[in-house]
Amino acid sequence: MKALGSAGGSAGQRPGGGSGTMVRLGRVLRLLTLLKLPCCLLELLLSAVAQGQEMYAPHSIRLEGDITLGGLFPVHAKGPPGVPCGDIKKENGIHRLEAMLYALDQINSDPDLLPNVTLGARILDTCSRDTYALEQSLTFVQALIQKDTSDVRCTNGEPPVFVKPEKVVGVIGASGSSVSIMVANILRLFQIPQISYASTAPELSDDRRYDFFSRVVPPDSFQAQAMVDIVKALGWNYVSTLASEGNYGEKGVESFMQISREAGGLCIAQSLKIPQDRKDKTIDFDKIIKQLLETPNARAIVIFANDEDIKQILAAAKRADQVGHFLWVGSDTWGSKVSPLLHQEDVAEGAITILPKRATIEGFDTYFTSRTLENNRRNVWFAEYWEENFNCKLTISGSKKEDTDRKCTGQERIGKDSHYEQEGKVQFVIDAVYAMAHALHHMNKDLCADYPGVCPEMEHAGGKKLLKYIRSVNFNGSAGTPVMFNKNGDAPGRYDIFQYHTTNTSTPGYRLIGQWTDDLQLNLYIQTTTLTISMNLSASVALGMLYMPKVYIIIFHPELNVQKRKRSFKAVVTAATMSSRLSHKPSDRPNGEAKTELCENVDPNNGIPPVRKSVQKSVTWYTLPPTV
């Protein structure tokens, strides 16, 4: 049985760098200059590297081990102007960080995975800010910087003894795409492989620029393809897009528009961006809703936005009295989250969202709900999490909880005295750590066959060799699905598709309606209705036009009532039923809209129809043929 990593300073030599990746200081200065960073930040980084000081990550998690992995997590949100870090992020930060610690515990106690080798860690907080994360990531590369100390002497004339920092062989993270892009630029210079658990920006698939970057989540280009397939399967050809300003939102929409342009038959009415540096959130979002209403037939809104922007745009739609007007098609940042919909569930009714296939890891639930202040001292941010989670104040110096006088007893329990639900990316954090462990395991078997532990050859192997092992892994992950990478370091595209329902159901919430794995399999939730006065006229007309030819044939020409093409019948029924449920409201397209060659060949009246007013009598499930 291997010894578990413990908190404290790391000791001993570490593999993964060697002379092959040792970089001289002069070259580091030149390479950092090429990154084209802001002058003030560049000056700070150059100063830190030149002095060889460990001025970053004064507050970090350090676990001893024979091999050290780095970790990057958004433990805190962005701070206000002039302050790098804001409030603690309980789920996206602490849950994900603890998932890495949990995975390390599991690996270190597994006699069959990396036997005689203990994995350690150095885990840092990115504060959800790319520039701050870049500063922090210098901690990972210090051991690989070769400094000339020949002219340095102590006061007694003796040469100084430098404490060599731990060598990080690979990094788990980061979370946000903009953070991963910034960090990947510095890690590739030192040939340190990186595996992200949440970054999905398409540009990270560029193996020429981000050759040491891999991820266990699929890129947004796969997600965009799935969303195009969903929109086309529902028969809509006139939609608008909405993106949060930044790499994730803008690149996601860009991929959606490019794929829709290549597929043909889909016109983008408007493509709007939500600014991040805004003074009055309410005015900005009200303005966006007003803009979207300028194209009344483009009622389907494809949205790549963060949680807060989703929440604000739904609130603005409600203020504009547009409940039921829009049908949202949300990316994985919306997924199956409840928090952005609180107090505005009616606006989100019918929303279709997408999420990488995932599962709840029961072992992590057991682990995390058993964490206490006493048994989790290795997590330096856990006391702050405790205060926030239980809304109490610890009697310790440096407490940040100012909005309560309630004292923490230390006897509170997660999941009993507070709400607990596993964060959605926990599975992917665990898979990322295991992917690194499996790569190191195979590398150890090949290079250290007759050597217990880490042999000298593995110590000097370098990150380029480790990268080859990472790209070759293929194992069943924590959810039982295969973990593997393509030549660009991307995971396969596997998505679940949800629809949000609150009305006409005994169990309001998200309902799984399909999946996408290279092609679309969609089980539409369709209301089969009787014609009552509650249905609007256009729906009645649509049904009449649909079924009148069939009735005529049955009555006057029964010999023609034969089935000709069996394969398309379900699709026809589905499209017809959706047409009756979501009837069209004719309206002219305003002048001044962008007209492209794509828009010229489609009917803008095939947008998302007006408010749904049919009365549910029964529920029918239809399966669409795969959409390629």
Side-chain angles (χ1 to χ4, degrees), residues 332-343:
D332 62 345
T333 48
W334 185 328
S336 58
K337 293 176 182 174
V338 175
S339 55
L341 315 186
L342 290 177
H343 310 304

Side-chain angles (χ1 to χ4, degrees), residues 365-384:
D365 286 343
T366 303
Y367 161 84
F368 190 73
T369 54
S370 67
R371 297 301 88 193
T372 67
L373 293 170
E374 289 298 317
N375 66 20
N376 201 23
R377 294 179 182 271
R378 64 183 178 179
N379 185 344
V380 296
W381 297 288
F382 197 67
E384 186 181 352

Side-chain angles (χ1 to χ4, degrees), residues 572-590:
V572 171
V573 172
T574 302
T577 313
M578 287 299 291
S579 296
S580 67
R581 174 173 171 259
L582 305 173
S583 55
H584 298 301
K585 179 181 179 181
S587 179
D588 294 329
R589 185 169 62 186

Side-chain angles (χ1 to χ4, degrees), residues 156-174:
N156 61 0
E158 295 292 323
V161 177
F162 290 96
V163 178
K164 192 174 181 65
E166 76 260 76
K167 186 176 293 180
V168 172
V169 303
V171 173
I172 304 301

